[in-house]
Amino acid sequence: MTVTHETIGKGEVLLAVDQVSLSFGGIKAITDVSFDIRKGEIRAIIGPNGAGKTSMLNVINGFYHPQQGKITFKGQTRSKMRPSVAASQGIARTFQNVALFKGMSTLDNIMSGRTLKMNSHFFWQCFRHGPAMAEEIRHREFVEDIIDFLEIQAIRKVPVGKLPYGLQKRVELGRALAMEPDLLLLDEPMAGMNLEEKEDMSRFIIDVNTQYGTTIALIEHDMGVVMDLSDRVVVLEYGRKLADGTPDEVKADQNVIDAYLGVAH
Amino acid sequence: MDILFKVLIDPFLQMGAMPDLFVQTIWDGFVTGVLYALIALGFVLIFKASGVFNFAQGIMVVFAALTLVGLYEMGLPAPLAVLVTLGVMFVLAVAIERVVLRPLVNQPDIILFMATFGITYFLIGLGELIFGGNPKQMITDQLYLPRGAIEVKMLGGFVQFQKIDIAAAVIAVVMIVALAVFFQKTRIGRALRAVADSHKAALSVGISLNQIWVIVWFTAGIVALVTGIMWGARSDVSFGLQVIALKALPVLILGGFTSVPGAIVGGLIIGIGEKLGEFYWGPLVGGGIESWLAYCIALGFLLFRPQGLFGDKIIERI
Ligand SMILES: Nc1ncnc2c1ncn2[C@@H]1O[C@H](COP(=O)(O)OP(=O)(O)OP(=O)(O)O)[C@@H](O)[C@H]1O
Ligand SMILES: [Mg+2]
């Protein structure tokens, strides 16, 4: 995989949400939340069920449009993202309840992550000839690299609907990686996994971050994982920001202990 | 006893006694079924990609055929009229995406369904305004479609194959194969299948839903034009034709709303079943059963396979 180097150096702000509020009718999903994600870091977003974590990812990649606040990505400030803009600007994501193309093979699913990288003319695409054929082969090689990286060679041709949940999550990660994202949003990538699968997934996340320099925003309920992987943690509760800092700072925060770590899970 | 004999035994004796007639009935049913399948195919394409049950599919068939004939009557040579009609169907697809789908995205399905009623009446009005409300003759000869019939001697009698029916079957098969290749082998096809599987995942990888919707509605428009030409050549081109869309519903119940093979097999079952029923059982009830028999066949299947022949089994998470 190639790494696209930005003019922004490591440690600079890649994405910032500023005083974002989002509601659905009467339900306030997010209230006045601000935080930032720095280039190259793994940023965890934690909080109890219904805290607004997924909603925040949806705001960042443009699925939800907040009523208030601003989103700054790569220096450009917007009041709302659009999914097409987010994707083309380098934001990729996975979903809490795996959203794959069930009828397609693992290979085709990951290939779909290359959609925006393909630019041969529509006409050629229809016939799979000439420039489009050469392009297809190049992208195919890229995707095979990802498949090797995620150790899923054995299921390349299997329709993903038939795969066990843990593998589906891995394919979904592969599809996001195929986009060569600058910012990768992972919504509970380890939910429903056994210990071994969790360890594999943790390793992939760390490798993606260190080898390719991809910035990662991670929602996760497993505190062990969060504390191990992340550089900084933001804590949400009832749609509000409760704490923000390094894992150690957050662990020591009295509000967090009361409100979140204190509750049995 | 007598009635049981007439229903359960006599029709089969008749089939055996005059096998040539039986084959003729099957063939007639097959051709009708092919056309039902094409209409159902238009529904399935749109339903899969945009989740919309397109009530306007029937009227799109009429509108396309009417535009073609109307343009010809206005003096355009037939091949050019076909091209311009395709252009009109493309503009229609773009307009529907812009004016109907885009503003109503994320609204409940029933609202989009109602919107397709709007499209239906809009197209009827537009068609009548431009081309008038009178039935027209399909320009069969000008499109180089064959006329007449071939009589084949078989099974102790003759079976008649209308050349236009043969052409319809061949064209339908070619189109279905072309669509299958398009969906399976091209990148656009992959994107289409992606959208059909999961809107949000498709959006997240940067597939443009708007572009896909235009392509799908345009494809459905092309299917509608072909259906309109074939159907128009067998009767005439008028707004009355839109009732054939009602025949697509049992086909969809049978085949499953999301399955292309289902639409094809369902179309053939309904087409053939209807003709057999009409011919062999119709006289028992004084004929005219063609209009409702399709629904009976579909309901019969529904009892055993609620998801249709090929439809995905839907298990709601509770
Ligand atoms: N599309 C929606 N329509 C209505 N309410 C919504 C929608 N999406 C989220 N909500 C509401 O917003 C609140 C926050 O939900 P969200 O899914 O963001 O929580 P979460 O932190 O991801 O929780 P979990 O840990 O259970 O995934 C909840 O009350 C939820 O019901
Ligand atoms: Mg969530």
Side-chain angles (χ1 to χ4, degrees):
Chain A
M1 276 190 267
T2 50
V3 185
T4 43
H5 279 287
E6 300 301 318
T7 43
I8 320 168
K10 176 150 179 156
E12 283 179 44
V13 172
L14 178 64
L15 175 120
V17 292
D18 187 22
Q19 299 187 312
V20 161
S21 296
L22 171 77
S23 57
F24 300 97
I27 303 168
K28 287 187 167 179
I30 301 174
T31 311
D32 199 28
V33 171
S34 307
F35 71 98
D36 61 18
I37 301 175
R38 294 188 198 138
K39 188 157 173 55
E41 76 175 337
I42 298 182
R43 181 71 143 132
I45 302 173
I46 65 171
N49 292 115
K53 306 180 295 294
T54 299
S55 299
M56 184 52 88
L57 288 202
N58 285 335
V59 164
I60 293 174
N61 97 311
F63 281 170
Y64 291 167
H65 296 160
Q67 281 81 13
Q68 273 158 42
K70 296 206 168 355
I71 305 145
T72 306
F73 182 62
K74 289 184 176 174
Q76 249 182 306
T77 303
R78 300 179 174 84
S79 59
K80 63 180 179 205
M81 266 290 183
R82 291 188 178 285
S84 56
V85 174
S88 65
Q89 299 270 303
I91 299 179
R93 70 170 291 174
T94 64
F95 296 87
Q96 186 168 348
N97 310 304
V98 183
L100 283 169
F101 307 125
K102 289 210 164 53
M104 294 192 218
S105 67
T106 298
L107 191 66
D108 273 352
N109 266 277
I110 301 181
M111 267 307 257
S112 75
R114 302 300 288 169
T115 303
L116 289 171
K117 303 281 176 193
M118 303 192 180
N119 41 27
S120 63
H121 194 271
F122 176 86
F123 179 80
W124 293 116
Q125 292 181 20
C126 289
F127 298 98
R128 262 197 146 195
H129 270 299
M133 200 64 201
E135 212 194 357
E136 180 95 5
I137 291 169
R138 257 194 306 112
H139 289 293
R140 188 62 187 265
E141 282 166 4
F142 188 92
V143 166
E144 293 293 351
D145 283 348
I146 292 176
I147 289 177
D148 289 345
F149 171 71
L150 293 175
E151 299 159 14
I152 46 178
Q153 299 88 338
I155 53 160
R156 288 163 70 251
K157 301 277 181 187
V158 182
V160 294
K162 295 202 163 73
L163 295 174
Y165 191 67
L167 279 179
Q168 291 195 7
K169 289 235 152 196
R170 217 184 269 197
V171 175
E172 210 191 16
L173 175 64
R175 184 181 63 197
L177 290 178
M179 294 171 71
E180 295 178 74
D182 296 316
L183 175 60
L184 178 59
L185 312 173
L186 303 175
D187 196 345
E188 303 197 17
M190 291 165 228
M193 287 187 172
N194 62 34
L195 190 63
E196 191 187 336
E197 288 174 321
K198 276 189 185 181
E199 280 169 356
D200 283 342
M201 187 54 95
S202 298
R203 185 161 50 82
F204 295 137
I205 292 172
I206 292 174
D207 284 354
V208 169
N209 177 251
T210 52
Q211 288 180 28
Y212 309 119
T214 310
T215 310
I216 295 171
L218 170 74
I219 298 177
E220 184 49 55
H221 278 297
D222 185 323
M223 278 310 124
V225 169
V226 168
M227 298 304 164
D228 274 357
L229 292 187
S230 55
D231 296 303
R232 289 192 303 154
V233 184
V234 57
V235 189
L236 302 180
E237 191 201 25
Y238 298 122
R240 293 178 186 276
K241 187 165 95 169
L242 198 65
D244 190 352
T246 63
D248 289 334
E249 285 167 1
V250 166
K251 250 190 288 192
D253 190 298
Q254 195 54 48
N255 281 336
V256 177
I257 293 168
D258 290 350
Y260 183 62
L261 297 177
V263 251
H265 259 278
Chain B
M1 246 24 251
D2 190 40
I3 183 76
L4 280 183
F5 175 77
K6 276 186 178 158
V7 173
L8 295 177
I9 300 174
D10 190 41
F12 297 101
L13 292 179
Q14 286 181 37
M15 288 177 199
M18 283 185 282
D20 53 331
L21 258 183
F22 178 62
V23 171
Q24 182 76 60
T25 313
I26 297 265
W27 167 251
D28 289 347
F30 174 77
V31 178
T32 322
V34 165
L35 292 169
Y36 290 167
L38 284 184
I39 297 167
L41 187 64
F43 272 105
V44 169
L45 286 177
I46 288 178
F47 188 77
K48 271 179 90 96
S50 46
V52 179
F53 184 85
N54 180 25
F55 183 77
Q57 188 68 29
I59 209 67
M60 277 167 67
V61 171
V62 181
F63 183 77
L66 198 63
T67 306
L68 175 65
V69 180
L71 288 171
Y72 177 78
E73 286 177 353
M74 286 173 181
L76 256 58
L80 193 60
V82 171
L83 284 181
V84 175
T85 307
L86 285 175
V88 170
M89 296 318 279
F90 181 71
V91 171
L92 184 66
V94 174
I96 288 174
E97 192 276 317
R98 276 290 154 100
V99 181
V100 181
L101 297 179
R102 200 181 291 189
L104 293 181
V105 67
N106 288 335
Q107 297 295 319
D109 292 345
I110 187 73
I111 296 201
L112 282 156
F113 176 57
M114 294 313 288
T116 66
F117 274 76
I119 297 174
T120 303
Y121 291 105
F122 173 77
L123 287 180
I124 293 177
L126 187 69
E128 283 189 350
L129 187 71
I130 303 176
F131 305 111
N134 296 325
K136 295 180 191 296
Q137 289 297 313
M138 181 41 71
I139 47 172
T140 315
D141 295 335
Q142 292 83 345
L143 292 171
Y144 307 106
L145 291 170
R147 264 180 203 282
I150 304 171
E151 293 225 326
V152 180
K153 195 169 159 54
M154 62 163 88
L155 304 165
F158 285 96
V159 179
Q160 204 181 49
F161 297 95
Q162 295 290 332
K163 286 182 185 166
I164 184 76
D165 289 351
I166 298 173
V170 170
I171 291 172
V173 169
V174 168
M175 194 164 72
I176 287 165
V177 170
L179 280 176
V181 171
F182 178 66
F183 279 114
Q184 292 303 322
K185 300 289 180 198
T186 69
R187 195 174 301 155
I188 302 273
R190 193 157 55 211
L192 273 164
R193 282 184 293 143
V195 169
D197 267 355
S198 166
H199 280 195
K200 64 178 182 179
L203 276 174
S204 81
V205 295
I207 292 170
S208 158
L209 284 187
N210 303 337
Q211 200 184 338
I212 293 297
W213 286 339
V214 170
I215 293 172
V216 166
W217 281 74
F218 180 46
T219 310
I222 297 174
V223 174
L225 175 60
V226 173
T227 317
I229 292 173
M230 293 309 167
W231 203 284
R234 309 170 98 224
S235 54
D236 57 9
V237 181
S238 72
F239 284 103
L241 256 187
Q242 64 161 309
V243 296
I244 56 172
L246 293 178
K247 286 292 167 59
L249 196 58
V251 172
L252 292 170
I253 293 171
L254 196 57
F257 280 79
T258 53
S259 166
V260 171
I264 296 162
V265 176
L268 294 180
I269 290 178
I270 296 282
I272 293 173
E274 214 177 55
K275 281 283 188 281
L276 287 178
E278 170 81 6
F279 193 78
Y280 290 102
W281 284 273
L284 292 176
V285 288
I289 66 175
E290 226 174 327
S291 53
W292 50 263
L293 187 63
Y295 285 89
C296 290
I297 298 173
L299 284 175
F301 270 90
L302 205 57
L303 288 177
F304 299 101
R305 282 188 67 86
Q307 72 272 33
L309 282 179
F310 295 85
D312 306 322
K313 194 162 199 152
I314 300 166
I315 303 168
E316 286 286 347
R317 232 178 121 147
I318 38 176

